[in-house]
Amino acid sequence: MLSGDISDDAVLDLVGAIYDTALDGSRWANVLARIDDAIGGRILFGVYDPANGLSSLLSPRIDPDRVQDLLGWAPRNPLLPLGIGRAPGEVFTIGDFITRDAFTATEYYNEWWQPAGFDTEPLTTNLLVDHNATGILTSHRPSNLSPYDGKARRLFATLAQHLVRAVAIQRRTHQLDITGRAALAGLDGLDQGFILADAQAHPAFVNRRARALLEGGDSIMLEAGTLGAVKAEDGLRLRALIGSCSTDNPERIGGEMSLLRPSGRMPLHVQVTPVGSEWAENAMPLASAWRSSAMVLITDPEPGANARLEALRERYGLTRAEAAFALEIIKGGGRKATAERLGITDGTARSHLSKIFDKTGVNRQAELVRLLLQR
């Protein structure tokens, strides 16, 4: 049991519903209400991504008029800028930034927050942190109830990781009609590689971009009909991530990794997420005997990254390696996670970060991320 009376099976079902929602945005309100019930709070979900045509502010259990009032408070909301530097999926609360007394003295608290009946220890995570896009999820605890306990916090943290991936999927696929029989054919229009695979990493569907990457032989590849990589250790890790999405695994965690390219080109970013069973059955109605476990999204950072990389080099005098590190650290996880994604040692990452601090004039990773996102 992870929280209250919710069972491991119920958590698994909720995670599956989250990924179904990523592929059918009309389900968000229902899923958010289920998260409310599981955690015992009042969820507020917001995504603003004009480049991809996404803009949502949803809360199934908060008065709609109060939710709309929140938009007018944006310029005077002291909480909005505080979590900008936090990585997507990292859970934080108000007390991580300001004291309770400082917050309760604000106009925002007294005129919007307190009348809504919320306590001062909400659970919050960034859903996305991008150049011109933001996404945030907050679970407000009613003030007449005791604060969130450890079980509720752990459940929120678990679901946050899946919600971050679900939003990432929705950003890439929201323009497609992916809820019916034409779903998989439509995925050929994605710029990202898209693969559906079973728990043993056997691909059942490969879109146009993923097929090109597989045939290119510079990163991801097929080994005896199984997904792998040019570097054996990368192949093992990829298959482990796909295997973790098996329906036999109660947690179905998935994950992210980078695939190094022997040619020296920038690593591919790979995101592995569990597939909701209902969506898979709708998308592949003629393959009812086959049960998908994972979707694999593969992003080649080079097309847009080169321009951003050169801009950083020109603006701050960074070397190419330093600029690439700066762009990668924006994705979150800190120095060590960035080093792992780039395939460099922590010592090299520490050296890059020190030089980037010197050249940009900042002293902390959060300040660096904020600086880069504002450019």
Side-chain angles (χ1 to χ4, degrees):
M1 307 287 280
L2 291 181
S3 177
D5 295 326
I6 187 168
S7 67
D8 291 344
D9 286 343
V11 172
L12 174 60
D13 185 63
L14 181 52
V15 169
I18 287 172
Y19 289 112
D20 283 338
T21 300
L23 301 169
D24 180 0
S26 66
R27 302 186 182 200
W28 274 116
N30 177 264
V31 164
L32 294 177
R34 291 179 62 181
I35 296 174
D36 270 350
D37 292 338
I39 296 175
R42 300 292 181 266
I43 287 286
L44 184 65
F45 168 94
V47 172
Y48 179 66
D49 183 10
N52 285 300
L54 293 173
S55 181
S56 298
L57 184 62
L58 300 174
S59 180
R61 303 281 172 74
I62 299 177
D63 178 20
D65 291 337
R66 189 165 295 281
V67 173
Q68 289 303 309
D69 287 346
L70 186 60
L71 297 174
W73 276 98
R76 295 171 292 161
N77 182 346
L79 304 181
L80 281 181
L82 298 181
I84 289 176
R86 296 299 179 101
E90 180 183 354
V91 179
F92 53 90
T93 191
I94 293 173
D96 294 330
F97 305 101
I98 59 176
T99 65
R100 184 182 185 281
D101 288 344
F103 176 55
T104 56
T106 65
E107 181 183 18
Y108 172 66
Y109 172 81
N110 287 285
E111 295 191 22
W112 189 89
W113 191 284
Q114 187 180 42
F118 301 143
D119 76 1
T120 56
E121 298 181 46
L123 301 175
T124 300
T125 187
N126 287 324
L127 296 172
L128 67 97
V129 179
D130 209 340
H131 290 278
N132 294 306
T134 59
I136 195 166
L137 180 82
T138 297
S139 183
H140 296 279
R141 184 73 163 170
S143 57
N144 63 335
L145 300 177
S146 58
Y148 288 118
D149 60 17
K151 291 181 179 179
R153 291 173 181 272
R154 288 193 294 274
L155 178 58
F156 182 87
T158 296
L159 297 178
Q161 299 299 321
H162 296 290
L163 286 161
V164 167
R165 294 175 196 148
V167 169
I169 294 168
Q170 187 177 40
R171 294 183 74 197
R172 295 185 176 106
T173 61
H174 78 284
Q175 293 178 328
L176 300 174
D177 177 13
I178 54 178
T179 58
R181 292 176 180 262
L184 300 183
L187 291 169
D188 266 340
L190 286 177
D191 291 332
Q192 291 81 21
F194 183 100
I195 300 173
L196 286 175
D198 66 13
Q200 288 73 47
H202 300 127
F205 172 80
V206 180
N207 78 346
R208 172 191 52 80
R209 180 61 181 138
R211 192 177 307 115
L213 291 169
L214 287 168
E215 294 172 354
D218 190 32
S219 53
I220 192 167
M221 58 185 292
L222 284 176
E223 303 174 278
T226 302
L227 291 173
V230 173
K231 293 189 65 175
E233 57 267 35
D234 284 348
L236 289 172
R237 186 177 177 201
L238 176 61
R239 288 189 289 272
L241 289 178
I242 293 172
S244 75
C245 296
S246 169
T247 54
D248 294 329
N249 180 0
E251 295 184 357
R252 303 196 75 197
I253 53 176
E256 301 179 2
M257 65 176 294
S258 290
L259 284 179
L260 296 180
R261 297 197 261 194
S263 64
R265 297 174 63 190
M266 295 180 69
L268 297 177
H269 177 256
V270 179
Q271 182 173 329
V272 180
T273 54
V275 173
S277 58
E278 183 177 346
W279 178 82
E281 291 171 3
N282 285 335
M284 302 188 71
L286 301 180
S288 59
W290 180 83
R291 290 294 178 262
S292 58
S293 289
M295 66 175 72
V296 182
L297 287 169
I298 311 163
T299 303
D300 185 347
E302 286 195 349
N306 284 334
R308 297 195 301 273
L309 186 145
E310 293 304 322
L312 285 177
R313 294 185 66 188
E314 181 177 349
R315 182 177 299 124
Y316 298 113
L318 303 180
T319 66
R320 187 174 184 83
E322 290 163 359
F325 184 86
L327 288 174
E328 186 67 26
I329 203 169
I330 293 175
K331 299 177 183 177
R335 187 191 71 233
K336 291 184 178 180
T338 300
E340 183 176 350
R341 292 195 297 268
L342 291 175
I344 60 178
T345 67
D346 186 46
T348 299
R350 187 182 295 108
S351 175
H352 285 335
L353 193 58
S354 177
K355 292 175 181 176
I356 293 169
F357 282 167
D358 288 341
K359 294 176 181 180
T360 58
V362 300
N363 298 307
R364 298 173 61 239
Q365 291 182 38
E367 293 172 355
L368 176 62
V369 171
R370 188 177 295 112
L371 174 69
L372 296 177
L373 291 176
Q374 290 173 347
R375 299 290 176 172

